[in-house]
Each structure stands twice: as C-alpha cells, then as structure tokens.
Amino acid sequence: MVTMRKMKLLTFLILLVFLTSFFLNYTPTVVTTIWFPKQMVIGISENFRKLMKLPPRSCTCSHCVNELRVSHWFDERFNETMQPLLTLHNSLMEEETYSWWLKLQREKNPKNLNDTIKELFSVVPGDVDPMLENESVGCRRCAVVGNSGNLKQSQYGSQIDEHDFVLRMNKAPTMGFEADVGSKTTHHLVYPESFRELGENVSMILVPFKITDLQWVVSATTKGTISHTYVPVPMKIKVKKEKILIYHPAFIKYVFDNWLQGHGRYPSTGILSVIFSLHICDEVDLYGFGADSKGNWHHYWENNPSAGAFRKTGVHDGDFESNVTATLASIHKIRIFKGR
C-alpha cells in the first residue's frame, strides 16, 4: 500500500517537474523579475527527494515545541512548512511578499533582486546550515539570548551554555559578561547596521531588510565597496563565507502576518529570533527579553537611558511582541527566564 502510494506520488511529481519546466521555457511572459526558473525546478526536485525519505527526525523532548493540537492559538500561527533560511533552492518569492519586503526601509533605486541573489550565492554557500540539518540530536535545545539589562547579575551563564544552540543578536557582547550571559554562541543574527565581529566558529545569520543588505554581504566579504547604508557600516568583515546564512525575507513576512498580525511596521530582530527558534528547535528557552525588574529597557552592557526609545518609534511594536512571547510561555511552548 505504501509502495503504491509512493509510485503515484513519484509519477505526479515527475509530471509536475516536466510541465513546470515546459511552462517556464515556453511562456516567459509570466515570469516576473523575482522568479528563478531553473531554481524552481531544482526546488521541486529537492522537495520530492525529501518527501520520499523517512518521516522527519522525531523529537525526544518531554515537550516538543512544534507539537500541534495543544493550543488553537499556536496552531493558527505556526506553519511548519515555512523555511527560515534563504537558499539557492527556495529563492522564489511571491510578488506580494517581494513588494512588502521592498517597502520595509523604503530603499531608493533598489538593485535587481535576481542579479543580487545570484551574486550573493556565488560568494557564500546557498545551502541550509549543516548544523541545523543534523538529525542526530533527538532533543534540540535552544537558548535565545536577548540584550535586556535584566541579565545583569542573573548568573544564567552556565545554564545558557548547556544548550545545543545559542542564538544571540545585534551588537551583544559576551566577553566580560560570561557569568550572566554565557560564552557560547552558535548563531548570531545581525543586519549591516548592527554588525559586530563574531567568534571563529559562530554562524552569522544576516537579517535582510533591503536589497542593499544582501549586496553588503557580497561587498564585505570581497572588495569592501559599501561603507554606508542609512548609517556607516563595516566595509569588511572577518566572518568565514561558509558561516554566513541569510534569513528568508518570506519568513520575515510570515512572522509579521501570522505572529504579529500586522502590529508595528516590521518585526524586531528579537521576535524574528524567537520565531526562527520555534522552527529549528525542539525546546526553546528565552533569556534577556523585556525590561529589568525596575521597568527599565536597556542593554546589559551599557547604561543608556534612551535604550527603550524604540518602543515609541512605531517601527516595532515591542509591547505586542512581548505579549506573543508571554502567550507562548503560557502554553508551554517556550520558557522565559526573566533575570533581575
């Protein structure tokens, strides 16, 4: 019965690949500037190979974050088919997604996305992170470490470092703060304006809010021609090319639509990190999110009284994002460690 079902699926997918290839080769007028004909066929083929494999790696945690039918609220928002990282095989972007993403930072005279992505993946790998594809870990535990001042004197360091994956973001340092924030980092989310040099074995996840951000990766790892976006940015970075990953613009829109339901202008790096972790991890622990015990919004490495001003700009809806994480914690999808 299973074999017969697979044969029918095989026949259907072969026919689909053939018709797709024929359609794209002989009907060029319907292909917009953001579609990649060859990659579409490759992507279909790759998805077919995945379908023919055994079921996905089973989670052996006591509570698995992607388990459905536990919370209707979660089921309405979580889409397990969404791919967090941009690769050569999933570069297709719907017109609506592309138009929305292009308006995020109102970029003037943006370059062609097709050409930019082709250039990008000629410099950095266009594959999924091997660490994230590793199926040997039956219970993948992730710590998402925010930048809140509530981490000060928290003594969470050793606890954070015990996780399989430790995600950090933007300019967050660890040196000198190890007792509270840990020393381990596996993945660090940044955009050009928030970049900081990373450890040798840390994977950089670029969160692109505009086409220039993708161009910056190419520039910063080669000739160093881009020195300014809307603020000065590093002309060169020391991150190994094989350690550079790209957050998928379509995933940004998914976070905005499904999880934030249109609140704010676009998601913050913090909530993007949280939802990203729901898709790559089995257990998710949050550290360093929200205000400190006195209600102050500031970074653990500085005393900046204006650090919470982002909540009033209208770009990010910090309060709504905080409600999302609080709800996730209330239904036992994540744990939040509030520090001090």
Side-chain angles (χ1 to χ4, degrees), residues 50 78-87 90-91 121 127-129 132-133 140 167 187 189 204-208 245-255 259 271-281:
K50 290 180 179 179
F78 183 77
N79 181 354
E80 62 182 354
T81 67
M82 291 300 300
Q83 299 178 12
L85 295 175
L86 184 71
T87 72
N90 67 8
S91 306
F121 287 133
D127 300 317
V128 177
D129 183 4
L132 301 181
E133 278 200 319
R140 180 177 283 167
L167 285 68
H187 297 77
L189 286 81
M204 179 185 101
I205 302 179
L206 175 88
V207 182
L245 307 168
I246 311 297
Y247 201 107
H248 205 306
F251 201 85
I252 299 176
K253 190 172 189 300
Y254 156 68
V255 174
W259 294 93
I271 196 67
L272 289 173
S273 301
V274 173
I275 306 304
F276 178 90
S277 70
L278 297 182
H279 284 255
I280 66 167
C281 310

Side-chain angles (χ1 to χ4, degrees), residues 207-218:
V207 182
F209 294 112
K210 52 188 177 298
I211 292 178
T212 297
D213 295 349
L214 302 175
Q215 294 176 297
W216 172 79
V217 171
V218 176

